[in-house]
Amino acid sequence: MDIPPLAGKIAALSLGAIPVSYALNHVSVLSHPLGVALMSALILGLFFVAIYSLSRGEIYYDPLYAVFAVFAFTSVVDLLIALQEDGYMVGFMEFYTKEGEPYLRTAHGVFICYWDGTVHYLLYLAMAGAIRRRKRYRNLGLYWLGSFIMSILVFLPGNILGKYSSEIRPSFFLTIPYVLVPCWAGLSVFNQSQAPTCCSPHVVQEEQRKGLLQRPADLALFIYLIFAGFFTLFRGLVVLDCPTDACFVYIYQYEPYLRDPVAYPKVQMLVYMFYALPFYGLAAYALIFPGCSWLPDWALVFAGAIGQVSHWIFAKESAHFPELETDSERSSSLPRSQSE
């Protein structure tokens, strides 16, 4: 997959979020939640106008150029929030985390901001650069789509259902475009033409005629999918308060973060169980009976979704998770069969 050059214009404009954030942090009117929401909407609107004025040709060619530009700006803001919450900088986004979206100060919120400010930011620049040079970005777009949708599926319900449900401020409604835009962007990306494969159709057909046992790489992936499917189902049962001793021991000794009163880990495991688990089954079926034309595209979407959480954010959240109970409280809550 060819990686298109990054969009220098978008990078330069998006970095304007740094002085803007610093200036807004010292505006007294932003001490009110409604003021934060209105000012945030105004800044994004002005940024969109600036992008439209400077890049009309790119926007006419592909309207997603404007979307990626605005999202690149918000990615820089998210990175500032993450760095501030970890103590690497001060004086930039305190007003927003206090009066706008206080749940961004949680472990999940901080590392969602890190992911958006690094991986998503580079994807936006790469896709905007591809549009500017009239190149394909379908594969990058599918990976971004999966990662973005996964963050929305977990973050928004987690805000509403968790202990921060009483902290919903007007700025929360600025996330509505984050729900609507991926639907439109996803359709646009899927409708793009596919890049030519490196293998000829004859080679592909010959490989697909082989049985699963004759394809060692596919066999290893099949075994992994079966194992991952059972493990995903087990973790889903754990957050659903399965009464078995195995689930109890697992949640206390291996992933105590799943007991966090914020709803993000529970929502994450349920999303895995209801969305990732069916994909594991479909992908395993596609390996047994090769030739499923839908698999490459949806594998990229799935890779973006799972790669974001499983291999980076969820591990970081667990590392930042404080113990919820002392050893004496934990031993008192053990089943009688274990405490004896």
Side-chain angles (χ1 to χ4, degrees):
M1 179 178 63
D2 294 333
I3 303 298
L6 303 182
K9 183 189 299 184
I10 299 298
L13 290 174
S14 63
L15 292 178
I18 299 175
V20 169
S21 299
Y22 184 81
L24 292 179
N25 196 59
H26 296 82
V27 177
S28 60
V29 71
L30 297 180
S31 60
H32 191 277
L34 183 59
V36 172
L38 293 177
M39 184 59 70
S40 300
L42 177 62
I43 293 298
L44 292 178
L46 293 175
F47 186 80
F48 175 80
V49 172
I51 290 295
Y52 183 79
S53 302
L54 297 173
S55 307
R56 292 188 180 184
E58 289 80 4
I59 294 176
Y60 289 153
Y61 176 76
D62 190 339
L64 286 180
Y65 184 87
V67 174
F68 297 148
V70 174
F71 280 7
F73 182 88
T74 61
S75 292
V76 175
V77 173
D78 285 341
L79 184 58
L80 293 176
I81 292 175
L83 293 174
Q84 170 193 281
E85 293 304 319
D86 274 350
Y88 294 110
M89 61 194 327
V90 294
F92 283 87
M93 293 299 296
E94 286 92 343
F95 74 96
Y96 194 80
T97 54
K98 289 180 180 179
E99 303 296 340
E101 297 185 77
Y103 37 79
L104 290 176
R105 308 179 74 173
T106 62
H108 188 90
V110 168
F111 287 99
I112 280 288
C113 289
Y114 270 124
W115 183 265
D116 191 48
T118 54
V119 177
H120 284 177
Y121 182 65
L122 293 175
L123 288 173
Y124 295 140
L125 296 184
M127 291 186 289
I131 294 174
R132 183 175 178 81
R133 291 164 178 80
R134 308 300 192 261
K135 294 184 177 181
R136 293 188 181 95
Y137 62 93
R138 193 172 190 272
N139 292 340
L140 290 175
L142 292 175
Y143 186 89
W144 163 78
L145 183 65
S147 177
F148 196 87
I149 289 178
M150 176 62 80
S151 65
I152 293 297
L153 285 176
V154 176
F155 193 57
L156 294 187
N159 297 336
I160 298 172
L161 300 176
K163 71 176 185 179
Y164 283 90
S165 58
S166 60
E167 298 289 338
I168 300 298
R169 313 285 174 82
S171 297
F172 176 80
F173 297 100
L174 295 176
T175 59
I176 292 177
Y178 279 81
V179 178
L180 301 179
V181 168
C183 300
W184 167 51
L187 292 175
S188 299
V189 172
F190 271 106
N191 288 332
Q192 292 182 13
S193 60
Q194 295 184 352
T197 59
C198 59
C199 300
S200 65
H202 176 72
V203 173
V204 174
Q205 292 177 0
E206 288 295 327
E207 191 69 19
Q208 290 178 352
R209 289 194 183 100
K210 298 179 181 178
L212 181 61
L213 297 179
Q214 297 175 302
R215 292 177 277 128
D218 289 352
L219 178 60
L221 181 58
F222 177 81
I223 295 173
Y224 165 77
L225 290 173
I226 297 301
F227 172 78
F230 280 109
F231 188 54
T232 299
L233 177 61
F234 174 73
R235 294 170 89 191
L237 295 176
V238 166
V239 299
L240 290 175
D241 296 327
C242 176
T244 63
D245 290 348
C247 293
F248 187 88
V249 171
Y250 181 82
I251 199 172
Y252 274 88
Q253 297 186 8
Y254 297 100
E255 289 194 86
Y257 176 70
L258 297 178
R259 297 182 292 120
D260 197 323
V262 297
Y264 305 121
K266 292 184 179 180
V267 174
Q268 183 71 69
M269 294 303 104
L270 293 178
V271 169
Y272 277 168
M273 188 167 67
F274 291 112
Y275 293 96
L277 181 58
F279 180 83
Y280 286 138
L282 292 173
Y285 170 85
L287 291 175
I288 298 175
F289 303 99
C292 298
S293 59
W294 51 266
L295 182 60
D297 288 344
W298 285 104
L300 277 173
V301 175
F302 186 76
I306 298 301
Q308 175 201 13
V309 182
S310 292
H311 302 132
W312 199 78
I313 289 181
F314 195 75
K316 291 293 187 180
E317 289 169 345
S318 300
H320 276 62
F321 173 66
E323 288 295 329
L324 292 178
E325 296 179 327
T326 63
D327 291 338
S328 59
E329 291 172 333
R330 182 180 304 169
S331 62
S332 63
S333 60
L334 288 172
R336 293 184 61 184
S337 59
Q338 293 188 17
S339 60
E340 296 175 354

